[in-house]
Amino acid sequence: LAKTTQPISMDSYEGQEVNITCSHNNIATNDYITWYQQFPSQGPRFIIQGYKTKVTNEVASLFIPADRKSSTLSLPRVSLSDTAVYYCLVGLNTGFQKLVFGTGTRLLVSP
Amino acid sequence: DVKVTQSSRYLVKRTGEKVFLECVQDMDHENMFWYRQDPGLGLRLIYFSYDVKMKEKGDIPEGYSVSREKKERFSLILESASTNQTSMYLCASGKFDRGTYEQYFGPGTRLTVT
């Protein structure tokens, strides 16, 4: 299973763009990269998933360089409600492989 | 909306008791998962199930068992609860849709074993 490394914490201010980078040097050819968000006292919530280049949805963008050894979750114009823990996961795009949630990145957005 | 519900938000049990944690999903997902979450350790996978009556060990299955008799229900069983099983337990169901695999989590059960 590919291991991921993320910063433990990040601070930002409302309205700023936040970029959280995840390192996954031993990602396998068939692995996808997925990001989840978790608020206190709640289960994680899916944000975005990608395989290569760039993926964008209504809440975030995911940038994946050609070598796929890292990825960056980009949150545009964060608000206080984006304060949460963000997890980067690497694994097959099916339910047939254990996905490993690391300790995540704790993002604190201040006014 | 997908809904994953867990039988209790908070549970207090005594050492040695048999504990059942129930999880129900309403979206006909084949895959279901049990995790525990502890400070500084993130989420760790206990067991998962591909489909009814099928189960696979996760990273920390010791001291736990599971049951999946119906597609919508996945139960986690602590055969003899111990204090080191005090934790937040999270259930999830998963599906593959339009090229994306997504897990949907329940609200969690905070279990305290005394």
Side-chain angles (χ1 to χ4, degrees), chain B residues 6 8 13 17 21 26 35 41 43 47-48 79 100 104:
Chain B
Q6 296 184 227
S8 307
K13 295 291 181 181
E17 279 193 82
L21 302 182
D26 66 358
Y35 296 87
L41 296 176
L43 280 81
Y47 267 96
F48 64 109
E79 297 290 343
T100 298
Y104 297 83

Side-chain angles (χ1 to χ4, degrees), chain A residues 36 38 41 44 49 87 93 101, chain B residues 9 37 43 96 99 101 103:
Chain A
Y36 281 79
Q38 186 179 25
S41 300
Q49 185 177 82
Y87 295 95
N93 193 23
F101 283 76
Chain B
R9 287 303 304 267
Q37 184 170 31
L43 280 81
F96 186 77
Y101 189 82
Q103 290 189 32

Side-chain angles (χ1 to χ4, degrees), chain A residues 23-38:
Chain A
S23 172
H24 28 80
N25 290 319
N26 59 341
I27 188 169
T29 303
N30 295 331
D31 284 345
Y32 280 69
I33 299 150
T34 310
W35 287 80
Y36 281 79
Q37 174 193 55
Q38 186 179 25

Side-chain angles (χ1 to χ4, degrees), chain B residues 39-55:
Chain B
L41 296 176
L43 280 81
R44 292 181 290 168
L45 182 63
I46 304 172
Y47 267 96
F48 64 109
S49 169
Y50 301 139
D51 206 340
V52 177
K53 297 190 185 296
M54 300 180 75
K55 60 185 179 185

Side-chain angles (χ1 to χ4, degrees), chain B residues 43-85:
Chain B
L43 280 81
R44 292 181 290 168
L45 182 63
I46 304 172
Y47 267 96
F48 64 109
S49 169
Y50 301 139
D51 206 340
V52 177
K53 297 190 185 296
M54 300 180 75
K55 60 185 179 185
E56 290 286 334
K57 292 180 180 179
D59 296 315
I60 50 165
E62 297 78 20
Y64 303 94
S65 62
V66 290
S67 173
R68 183 115 181 257
E69 296 297 318
K70 293 185 178 181
K71 194 172 190 178
E72 68 271 18
R73 189 180 297 270
F74 192 34
S75 302
L76 180 70
I77 303 152
L78 286 66
E79 297 290 343
S80 177
S82 63
T83 54
N84 63 11
Q85 292 178 309

Side-chain angles (χ1 to χ4, degrees), chain A residues 39-53:
Chain A
F39 298 113
S41 300
Q42 295 186 25
R45 185 179 68 145
F46 174 91
I47 301 175
I48 198 166
Q49 185 177 82
Y51 182 80
K52 62 180 179 180
T53 62

